[in-house]
Amino acid sequence: MDISETEHNDSDPPVQENGNGEAVVEDEVNDEESNMETVDLGLDDKAADASSQNVFKNIDNEISDDQQNVEESENITPEKPEEISAPPTVVSSSATQEVTPPPAIESLPPLPEGKELELEPEELTSTPFSIEYDLTQPPTPGSTSRRDSYAAGNISRRGSLASFSKSFNISIPFSVGCVCDMGMKLDDVTSSLPRLLSKTTLIHSNEEGADETIQRLISSLHSNSPNTDRTQIVDHLFNLLVGGHFDQESKFVIEDVANVDHMLTLLSHCDCDLQNEIWSLFLAVMKKSNRNLEACTRVGLISKVLDLLPEAPPLLADLLVQIIAALVAYSINVKQTKHLLRALRSTKDQWPPNSLKLLHVLKEMPQHDSADVFFSFPGKDQSGIILPPIKTMPYQQGWTFATWLRMEPLNSVTFEKEQPVLYSFRTSKGIGYSCHIFGNCLVVNVEKAKGKEQSRCVKAELGARKWHHIAIAHCYSRWGRSDIKCFIDGQLAETIELSWVVTSTTSWDRCSIGVSADGAVNTAFCGQMGAMYLFAESLSLQQANSLFCLGPAYQSTFKHDSETSLPEGYKKHLFDGHLHSSLVFAYCPKNCHGQLCLYTPPKTAANTYFVQIPHAVMKEGVEVITTHSIHKSLQSVGGIQILLPLFAQIDLPSSHDNTIDGDVCQTLLSLISLLLSSSQSSQQQLFHSKGFLIISSCLQEASPSHLSMKVLEQIIHIAKFLLRCPAGGPLLKHLFDYILFNPKLWIRARPEVQVHLYQYLATDFLANNNFSQMLRRVPTVIEMCHTLKHFYWLALPQTVSDYTVEERPENFATAEIVSIRSAILTFINRIIISSNSPDEEEKARDQEVHTLLNLLATVREDDNLYDVLALVTRLLAEHPAIMIPAIDKNKALGIIFNLLAAPNELIRIPALKILGFFLSRSTLKRKTESMGSQNLFSLIGERLLSHKRTISLPTYNVLLEVLVEQMTPTFTYAAHQPAQPDWKFENPHLLKVIAHVISQCEETESLVQIKKCFLIDIINLCRESKENRRTILQMSVWQDWLIGLAYVFHTSESQNEVSELVWEAFSILLHHALRHEYGGWRVWVDTLAIAHSKVSYEKFKRRLAEAKAKAEKAETGEEAKMEPTPVYRAPEFAWSEVHIRLLADLLSGIERTVEEWKTQEGGISDQCNASENQVFVGNVVHVISQLADSLIMACGGLLPLLASATAPNNDMEIVDPCQQQLPISVAASFLMRFAKLVDTFVLASGVSFSELEQEKNMPAGGVLRQSLRISATVTVRHILASRIQQPDTPRYETNSAKKNQCIMDFVREALENFSPEGLENVERLVQDSDITRIKGVVYRDMVEENRQAQFLALSVIYLVSVLMVSRYRDILEPPSSPSPFFDSTTTKQENAERELPEGGSSEAVANGKVANDGDHASIKNGSDHSENGADEETEEKGEEGQGDNGGTIAAIKVANSDMKKDGNEYNEEELKKMHQSNGRRPSTLMPPQQTAERRAYLTTKLQTALETCAPLLREMMSDFRGYLQKTLVGTHGQEIMNDTKVLETLRNRNASVIELVMLLCSQEWQTSLQKHAGLAFIELVNEGRLMAHATRDHVLRVANEADFILNRLRAEDVSKHAQFEAESREQLQARYEEYSRCDLLIVSGRLRDSLNATRLLDKMSAILTDGDDSKSGSQFWKLDVWEDDSRRRKRFVPNPYGSRHEEANLPEGEKNEEPEISEQERIRKILKGLFSQRHATTASTGGQELVDESDIDKWAQEVDPTPSSQSACFSTAAKLIVPGVVVPGTLSVTATDLFFDANESDPNYKKQCAQVIREWGGGGNKKNNNLLLEKKYLYQMGERE
């Protein structure tokens, strides 16, 4: 048998020497083993076992030891010497050990290099051979063989990735050394050779070619010989591929690419197991080296494997897919890309076999971050780039070498033995610079002279098979120490201080890259390099880092910054011109031609550095490799959009098991994500092709199972990437519009997926500060509100007509819906508050808030409103500057009040909150215009009471917050927080609203508690705040609602407590009005009047209820006599408990102030006259003036009281002539308190009362006259009390009980409280306090108003005279005896005639004008105004010097006769009674039989009683003497005061009181006093009675005015509320219509998107369709709706509904009977019609065409405006009219688009031809709506018309 010659490998590694110059033996057996082929020697098992112990004894031991050393060396990091004097040969760590060769080897001389043992011809044939030994048998026990190592898996010759448990044989190289080591004799071998060769199978002969070898292997496979070992076939196949003995660590590079095809040929004859083994090993080999990938790429292995994939079984398919993945990651051209994509296309509605696995190939495709074009260095000796000679190396500015490299060692075992050179710049003398790689480190060498070399190892590790950027910068310092900076991957790895400057007079002609210039062994670089740069300057760290950031793909000369997309901060370091001008050379792979590396230096640097040309040469297999990334290949076939049709197949089953893969969608999305993140062009393609729209459409049509959490996470991953990507904004908008914001898509997913989606949108997405720039804010908010309403509802619509909701899976839990709604609302919240450009921000926010308000307006279900209201409340609370103007512009008050009318309190409360926040943050102008102009505050109460007349504590809490504008975003449902004193009434109208609501609610215990809370809050707010009190006082008729809270007739203690709080509030407010407000007294009058109305109405209701109760008690069957229902009218004023309480509290407040004044410095006088208290003094005086006479009349009147006090038997009746229903005791108490106030505010103050009197239209001096009446009444009260206390006074019980009881009620308080200010001494006639008060009243304005003082003095003189004479009578003649002043012998008429003037009757003189013209006298004040402002005539009584009359009382003025009379006028009869009782002369009173003792007793008693009155009378007589002399005249007109004796009696203050009384009792004085002074006194009394009546009338009038004001306000409220509600209804209707349009636009937009997606998907699918794939017959086309910007170019797209023209025939019954004409005739006829029509048009327009060519040119040159990010939208109902079709719908115009959306629910739409509508596309075409109909339908419709 012939034995083939073996193939030898001459490239053995060199033998290294250690430091002693000894040869180092390392893995020699492996080296020799790799040089031989194998031959199966056919040893049997026993012989093998017997011989193996000897044959492999030493070999196994040697290999085992050496292998261990090699493994240890791989784990030891090479030491980096500080300095190396000479460049030694690199020695591995394993070589440092001393290795003793085996004795057998030492006994033989070594063979020459490359030679093997040659056997003698006579002993053996001359053909070298290899011996294969079967290692499948177990080894001899105790022996350590290489077989054991293989069996243990420690050593793998092939290193296959797949594990196969098969027995296999190992070929052992047979050599002389081995034979000698075996101890075998050559004769033994020769003798046994025939036996061995009998079992030998010839595998390969060196004489065979690759084709013959493959055919032989195929024949061996088909021979089914038992001696054929399949493992040998695998081994030899890979030996063939690598061109030698294959080893995965040392020999694994494919030498001949054609052998890959041979491998495929062999694989076609292998079974599955063998194919699996081969492909598995080939995959590992292919990944081992880029050269192998390049070899596979050159033979087009991708397409060939794709052809094998459909028929491959599962395990083999996995391997093939991995093969494809590795190749695609390296390079794939356009044709292969199409082939790959077509392999994914479905067939027969199924995924092709194993096609889904290809998706994982694309998914795992790494980012292509390497250069597409690069230098490939094979690592062979002498292979590298040789540079042309360089004149001189730059060193003044330093120099830098920079490049990208990827190390790819040929032999992993000898990797550390090699020293591949990175660059070498040396002279012919060998001096210069170089850098080589030692292990994984860089070593920088500088040789300044021969043998003087310095080296430094850079402390940075370079990883194999990984791209690294290297920059070695040599920095020169003339005066300092130079250094070398090593930059690796943009970072400074190390700075080496080294004196490196090398100078040479000769050129640098030994320069190379990738190999040493002399081609030394193990210096060739194996791997890839990018562009190589040498700069004539030392680069900085910033420049090196910027170079690194450029990436390995950059291959230019740093001239134009547009060549890269680096940020400006990086560009400035590279493209400032310095690097470009400093280039020594730039060898880029793209700039190569053949073996030349071309470089054209800048003009300024031409031939500066090179001796001749600057071009370099690639030698010994160095070549430029060009790869094609999947991104560029996809770009060539259409881009990333080509993958989109795969989404339409996600629902298709697999052809393998007919099941749907649930992960296919996630796989496709991950592929899309990968392409987007690795290529910016992919982002642009996906945007222009609307890829996310297509994906959304496919997902929506697919099964919901694809909407999994993994799919969502992948989409979110894409969104996060686009958010980080600077140019990802437009694409991100598509992602959100079509996918993330598409609820119709996600509603089909599982609930947890939807929750996760919206939570991401609300949290992580919003965390990006630029999100507002990525979205169209207004459309997004509209879409989200639409989603809330139609998809995530909590309650179904109340009526079907409101709106329709989308169907939802039944497994949706309410909690999940709430969570989703919360996330959506949070998202809306962040959008609204996000900032944007100032120009668009306000407008956008207004529209966003408008959309949110539309949601509130169109949703009626409470459950669907809670969270939306909470959002609006939160927005108002946190961002009022945004929300308040937006709400105001949107006129949202109608929505708020609509919500206030909701029956659910949980809706009303948030609505109140919203209103409160709006009011609290609005300006006064906005608040007034929005609320005040339409009286909307009162509407709040009406809305709150529209369903149920109840109010709860939470509602009140919110109302209080709105009242004081202390809004809180939280809702308080349980407790009530009392009002703080520092709060202010910001919306005081709500006081009336709250009170009205409370008063209208049904009476319950909770309502009483709310009343208490409200009143306590008012009190707290008013007690310390003057501003709050003033606010209430400024309200119109505020007393009405406040007093309405009280209970006039309370029935429980809680009601009484409420009333007490009301009175306390009144007390605070009224006191403030008097104390601080000018005209505050009017508040008191209004309060009296309104309280009168309230009390009267309550009494009326009570009587009415009693009447009804009586009617209900009528017996059954009997006709009850029902009175007609009475109509309420306010009665005359009458006092009630309410008035009494109010007045008492008012006086108490005034008195407290007086007490405070007493304690202050200066006392009462200073405080009364202080400027700050003038308002208070004036108001109090007004109050005194208003009520003084009413109180006097309530006590019975001054004249009756005086008569009772002076009557002997007290027989006068005390009644209230005004019928005020005020108890006498209460009236007397108030009167006494008024008297004290007179002391302070009238007598102690110096205020002029003229202004006060004018303010009340009161005559001059009226205040003092009222004060005198008060003083006189109090004086009379004290006199009555004194008489009751005297022991000789008869008891009242013996007489009329009613009369006496009234007197007792009148004086009881005085009797109970003795004090200097009141009743002090009962023996005295007039108390000191009364004397002081009367005197103060008379003398207060004596100087300024002398005339009024005279009148007062005259009245006082009469009063005092009557009192003194009466007491004189009572003392001298006790009441039990006849009156001493009554003359029994003289008749009443006689006495009257004697006392009257001559010639006049008693009636005429007594009454005068008073009797004739009425009893309502008033005092003249220079003007003729009475209390009611009417003009009165003035007539003076008496004439001076005429008749018996004395001086005239000029101040008396009598009212007209038409004045009101009450039947109790005081006239002469009253005076006559007192005159008759007091008019007897004193001489008749003293009986002669009276003893001296009695006389003394009476004198003392008279002296005591009258001693206080006499000084007052004498003083007034003296001070007013001139006036009194003229006034008090005798019966004959004589002056009775000019008598000497009279003057002496009046002037002598020490004279006897009895003498003065006797004077007063004289006939002349009695007559004069009665006639003149009595007239003044009676007019004083009548004025008081008039004032009392006027007060009653005034109070009633004010009450009626208050009722009128309230009714007018109610009518005004009703009118304005009706107008507001009408406007609200219109706005609400407009909002409904607007929402309907938005709803239609959204639905139509989705339909339009679906149609567009279908069209785009068809177009993309057509790209991958070959011409052969189309259906037989012609392809039909139609014009696409697309057009370019100039509207001049359109394009055709396939028309699946196309048909031939011959088919366009009319129906038989409608054919035209006209004779057929030729085609030319028909065209001529059409053109003629068009010409005539054009001619007519031109004539009608005056010969000017509407559009000429110049206009078209102008339009073509126009630039479209930049679209706004917030597209304004206008929509209106419209009809699209095209030939034969009228389509109803909505026309929408935005800033960039024109849309027409057909209304498919319109009956007219349904009448259209379905096929015509289908051809048209259903509406919604963008920018231009062209309806292209087939001819046959146009003909048919045209004929029908």
Side-chain angles (χ1 to χ4, degrees), residues 1018-1057:
I1018 292 178
I1019 292 171
N1020 291 337
L1021 290 170
C1022 293
R1023 181 177 287 115
E1024 302 295 336
S1025 175
K1026 181 188 295 186
E1027 183 178 351
N1028 285 342
R1029 298 193 295 265
R1030 182 168 292 156
T1031 300
I1032 295 181
L1033 293 173
Q1034 291 174 350
M1035 295 176 63
S1036 178
V1037 200
W1038 59 269
Q1039 298 92 338
D1040 177 72
W1041 57 262
L1042 182 56
I1043 203 171
L1045 297 174
Y1047 296 92
V1048 177
F1049 308 105
H1050 58 82
T1051 58
S1052 64
E1053 184 61 27
S1054 59
Q1055 292 181 354
N1056 184 42
E1057 292 175 359

